[in-house]
Amino acid sequence: MAKNWAICIGINEYHYLKPLNYAQQDAEAIRDFCLNEASFEQVYYFAKDAPPIPSDRGPSLRSEPTYANLKYFFRKRFAEPFLDVGDNVWFFFAGHGELHEGH
């Protein structure tokens, strides 16, 4: 049977942009839905003051959604294959976006 994994990121506060009111709350709601309603295998949650992310390959990972923390997480989590054919990774991001090359 296919496994479902999720990555949920919610960022309300930015250094040079207007803060958001509900991005972190929305990511938390998606996390809770994936765990409690949809019975996902694993949900990784990144937000200010989120608990550390347990790691099966060493110490816990920081869950504050900074560029460095997210880059480190993706490098560590996807360093070795862990998904099987038919498995899904769901990605949810709530926060400010930015145009890249006009898109």
Side-chain angles (χ1 to χ4, degrees):
M1 187 166 165
K3 295 178 185 173
N4 287 293
W5 302 64
I7 300 167
C8 299
I9 302 170
I11 305 173
N12 282 344
E13 298 175 20
Y14 290 81
H15 290 289
Y16 303 106
L17 297 172
K18 181 179 177 184
L20 299 172
N21 295 319
Y22 304 107
Q24 185 171 335
Q25 180 180 329
D26 290 349
E28 187 175 334
I30 294 295
R31 177 202 64 188
D32 292 346
F33 173 81
C34 291
L35 287 172
N36 302 323
E37 302 294 323
S39 301
F40 277 30
E41 298 293 320
Q42 178 72 46
V43 178
Y44 299 103
Y45 175 59
F46 292 88
K48 184 178 181 182
D49 301 325
I53 297 170
S55 174
D56 55 357
R57 301 179 189 143
S60 296
L61 303 174
R62 296 185 63 183
S63 59
E64 186 176 359
T66 66
Y67 176 77
N69 288 346
L70 291 168
K71 186 175 178 182
Y72 184 79
F73 165 77
F74 283 111
R75 190 172 59 241
K76 287 289 191 182
R77 177 69 268 185
F78 292 95
E80 297 176 22
F82 65 97
L83 299 169
D84 293 321
V85 173
D87 289 351
N88 301 293
V89 174
W90 300 79
F91 185 85
F92 179 83
F93 174 80
H96 282 299
E98 181 177 303
L99 291 176
H100 176 71
E101 296 178 359
H103 302 282

